[in-house]
Amino acid sequence: MLPDELLSSLNGLISCREAQTRQLVTLLDSRFPNPSTLVIHGLHATGKSLTLGAVLKSIGAPSAIVRSRECITTRHLLERAISDSKAALSKQHQLDLDRGFDGRCESISAFVVQLQLLLEGRGKFVLVFDGIDRQREALPTLLPAIARLGEIIPNLTVILVITAPQARALQLAGVPHIHFPPYTRGESLSIVSSSPLPITDPPPNDDESESNSAHRATISETDTLWLWTRFCGAVWDSLGQAAARDIVSFRAVCSRLWKPFTQPVVQGDYRPRELSKLMVKNRALFQTEDPLKEPIHSLQPTASTTSKPTRAPLPRFPHHTSHLLLAAYLASHTPPRADILLYSKSSQHASRRRRRQQRQTLPTANAASSRRRKIPRHILGPQPFPLERLFAIFHATSPSPPVAGGEIMAQVATVAGLSLLLRASSAAADDGSGGGGKWKVGFGWDFAVAVARGVGFDLEIYLGE
C-alpha cells in the first residue's frame, strides 16, 4: 500500500494532479520495482517539472535534473548530466571525493562509461532530462541512446520530460508514459484563485489620510477573495478559454486586468461585493484583446519627446557576458591569422603603437595608397568562427575570465537564446564532439560599441585595418 501521508502532503503542495502524483510515487518508490525508463509528457505549463520535483524530494531518492534549455550542444548536455549527478551524490554523502572523475564526455559512449563509474556500487539513482525533445542540434541517436541507459546501468532510472511523444522516437518497447493533460476551467480557477491579488496596494508612507485608511480597512480579505474568484471566472469565459489556456498566460491576463477592474472600488464608488455594477462599469476590458499582448515598453509623451526624439537605452549585461559578446564580435570581424598579433599579451603594446602610427600617417598618405586602402572590417559582414577561438579570445581580452568552463557555456547558451550569437554551420556538421560547429554574431557595430562603453573596453585597437 502507498503511504497516505506522503500522498496527502504532495496533494497539498500540487493542486489538481492527484492521479499523476500517485503514478509517480508508485513507479519511483524504492519498495517496488522501478522502470529503467519513464516518459512524462504534456503541453506547456501543465505542472510536469513541478510535480516531478516535488515527488523526488518527498521520497528522498538521489536524483539529478538536467534542463536541456540550458545546454547548447550534445557534449554540454552530457557533461552537465555528469556534473549534476556528482553534486546530487555528494549531498547524499555517497560520493567518494578521492575517486577521480574526469567528467569529459566527447560522445555518448564516454558518457555511459563515466556514468557507470559514478554509480557503481551505489543505490537507486534517478536522472531526469527535462525538455530533451527540444535539445539544440541533437543527434538522431541521442534520444534512443539515453532511453537505453537503464538497461546498461541496473541501478539507474531515466526520466524523459517532453512535450509530445512521437512514434518510434525511443526505439524501445514497454516504456511507461504519464500524461499531464491541460487544466480544465475548474482546475485553472482553483489554482489561480488560491493566491488572490490585493485590491489596494499598501501605503508608501505613513502620511495616508484618515479617509483612505478607513476605506482600506473596510475591504477585508474575505471580500478580496470573493471578488477575485468571480473576476477570474469572467476573464476565463471572455479571454482565457480561447487565447490563454495555460496557467501562466491566464494568470498574466488576470494580473493585467485586476487593477483597472478594481479601480472603482479603490476610489470608493462601489463596494467589493457589487460584482454586477463592476462588470457593467468595466465591460470594455473584456471586449478587447489588448490584455493578451504583453507590453514591450511604455512611452509617456512629454514636451521634450514631441520636439526631440529620444535615444534608445544602451544595452546592459553582466560583466562576463559583455566581454563574451565583445569576444564574439572580434572573432567574427578579425582574421584568424592575426590572432597572435592582436590578442597575444606580449604584442598588445606593439599593436597599439602600430595603430597610432597608422592614424598619424593617414592624413599624409598619397592618392595611390588611399586607392589601395582596405575596407574596415566592422563594415563587412560577420564571419563564422568555432567556439574554441571564441573562448581563446575571451580569455585573452577579458580582465578576469571565469575559471569554471560550465559558467562560460551557460553564458553562451544565454546569448544564443537572445539571438545575439547565431549558429552558422548546419546541424549535420555537429558530430557531438563538443565543437558545436561554427557560430557568428547577430549584432552590428553600434551594438558592440555600446556594450564596450558599458565595461570600459577599447574595441577599436583590436580591429585590423
Side-chain angles (χ1 to χ4, degrees):
M1 296 296 293
L2 295 175
D4 296 336
E5 296 81 3
L6 178 60
L7 290 176
S8 61
S9 62
L10 288 174
N11 293 332
L13 293 175
I14 306 170
S15 303
C16 308
R17 285 293 180 251
E18 290 80 4
Q20 289 77 12
T21 302
R22 181 178 293 273
Q23 293 175 7
L24 284 173
V25 172
T26 304
L27 293 174
L28 299 179
D29 194 355
S30 59
R31 298 179 300 173
F32 300 97
N34 303 130
S36 59
T37 307
L38 175 63
V39 176
I40 298 177
H41 62 96
L43 298 179
H44 172 67
T46 52
K48 303 183 296 296
S49 302
L50 178 63
T51 305
L52 179 60
V55 170
L56 292 176
K57 184 178 179 180
S58 299
I59 63 179
S63 60
I65 300 178
V66 184
R67 294 174 176 83
S68 294
R69 65 175 179 268
E70 301 176 357
C71 305
I72 60 173
T73 60
T74 302
R75 180 174 179 175
H76 188 195
L77 175 72
L78 301 180
E79 292 182 355
R80 184 69 175 269
I82 294 295
S83 176
D84 292 350
S85 301
K86 291 169 60 178
L89 291 175
S90 63
K91 290 182 180 180
Q92 299 285 337
H93 304 285
Q94 299 182 12
L95 181 62
D96 188 6
L97 298 178
D98 296 334
R99 297 178 60 184
F101 295 97
D102 190 3
R104 292 183 298 179
C105 302
E106 299 179 354
S107 62
I108 190 67
S109 301
F111 171 70
V112 174
V113 172
Q114 290 285 338
L115 202 58
Q116 283 179 328
L117 294 176
L118 190 63
L119 300 179
E120 183 180 1
R122 294 183 174 85
K124 198 68 179 179
F125 188 81
V126 180
L127 184 58
V128 181
F129 291 91
D130 193 354
I132 188 63
D133 56 336
R134 297 186 178 182
Q135 174 62 37
R136 298 184 182 94
E137 304 296 339
L139 298 175
T141 58
L142 176 63
L143 200 58
I146 292 179
R148 292 184 178 272
L149 289 176
E151 299 179 355
I152 304 175
I153 306 175
N155 57 339
L156 176 65
T157 296
V158 177
I159 301 180
L160 306 176
V161 182
I162 60 179
T163 303
Q166 299 179 1
R168 298 182 297 275
L170 302 180
Q171 300 179 9
L172 186 65
V175 178
H177 288 60
I178 299 179
H179 181 218
F180 281 70
Y183 292 104
T184 61
R185 181 185 186 275
E187 294 173 346
S188 300
L189 294 179
S190 176
I191 295 173
V192 177
S193 300
S194 60
S195 55
L197 297 178
I199 295 179
T200 57
D201 296 330
N205 47 36
D206 298 335
D207 298 336
E208 188 180 19
S209 62
E210 297 181 358
S211 59
N212 293 336
S213 177
H215 176 66
R216 190 185 304 275
T218 57
I219 304 177
S220 61
E221 296 182 359
T222 305
D223 295 339
T224 302
L225 180 60
W226 184 90
L227 182 60
W228 171 260
T229 304
R230 285 151 181 81
F231 165 76
C232 292
V235 173
W236 176 270
D237 294 335
S238 59
L239 299 172
Q241 62 179 352
R245 295 298 300 271
D246 60 275
I247 290 296
V248 177
S249 302
F250 180 48
R251 174 79 182 188
V253 172
C254 292
S255 300
R256 295 191 196 105
L257 294 179
W258 177 246
K259 285 191 175 297
F261 182 80
T262 57
Q263 189 64 27
V265 180
V266 176
Q267 295 176 354
D269 299 336
Y270 300 104
R271 291 175 295 179
R273 297 273 179 169
E274 297 178 343
L275 178 63
S276 58
K277 296 181 179 179
L278 289 173
M279 292 296 297
V280 174
K281 176 75 174 179
N282 301 300
R283 61 181 179 272
L285 296 176
F286 305 95
Q287 297 175 353
T288 178
E289 296 181 356
D290 293 338
L292 300 175
K293 305 174 184 177
E294 296 184 3
I296 300 177
H297 63 279
S298 59
L299 295 178
Q300 297 181 358
T302 58
S304 59
T305 57
T306 57
S307 58
K308 184 178 180 180
T310 58
R311 295 182 59 184
L314 296 178
R316 299 181 61 88
F317 296 98
H319 179 76
H320 288 155
T321 305
S322 299
H323 281 279
L324 185 66
L325 290 173
L326 296 174
Y329 184 83
L330 292 175
S332 280
H333 292 82
T334 56
R337 64 178 181 272
D339 287 352
I340 298 179
L341 177 64
L342 295 176
Y343 309 116
S344 177
K345 299 294 184 181
S346 59
S347 62
Q348 281 186 3
H349 299 286
S351 177
R352 292 177 183 175
R353 288 195 299 268
R354 178 178 59 85
R355 295 180 183 280
R356 290 194 186 99
Q357 293 175 0
Q358 290 180 356
R359 294 192 185 98
Q360 292 174 2
T361 58
L362 185 60
T364 61
N366 53 21
S369 62
S370 63
R371 287 195 299 265
R372 293 193 301 267
R373 190 182 306 159
K374 296 181 180 180
I375 301 176
R377 291 191 171 272
H378 67 270
I379 299 179
L380 302 176
Q383 301 298 319
F385 58 87
L387 284 181
E388 289 82 358
R389 185 164 178 255
L390 169 63
F391 296 153
I393 297 176
F394 174 66
H395 280 273
T397 57
S398 178
S400 58
V403 180
E407 183 180 351
I408 303 178
M409 296 299 293
Q411 293 176 11
V412 172
T414 301
V415 297
L418 296 174
S419 299
L420 298 176
L421 194 62
L422 307 175
R423 184 178 290 275
S425 61
S426 60
D430 188 5
D431 56 354
S433 61
K438 291 189 175 181
W439 300 71
K440 64 179 181 179
V441 294
F443 54 91
W445 168 253
D446 296 336
F447 186 89
V449 170
V451 175
R453 289 175 180 173
V455 294
F457 183 82
D458 193 355
L459 186 62
E460 296 182 358
I461 66 172
Y462 290 99
L463 292 175
E465 298 293 341

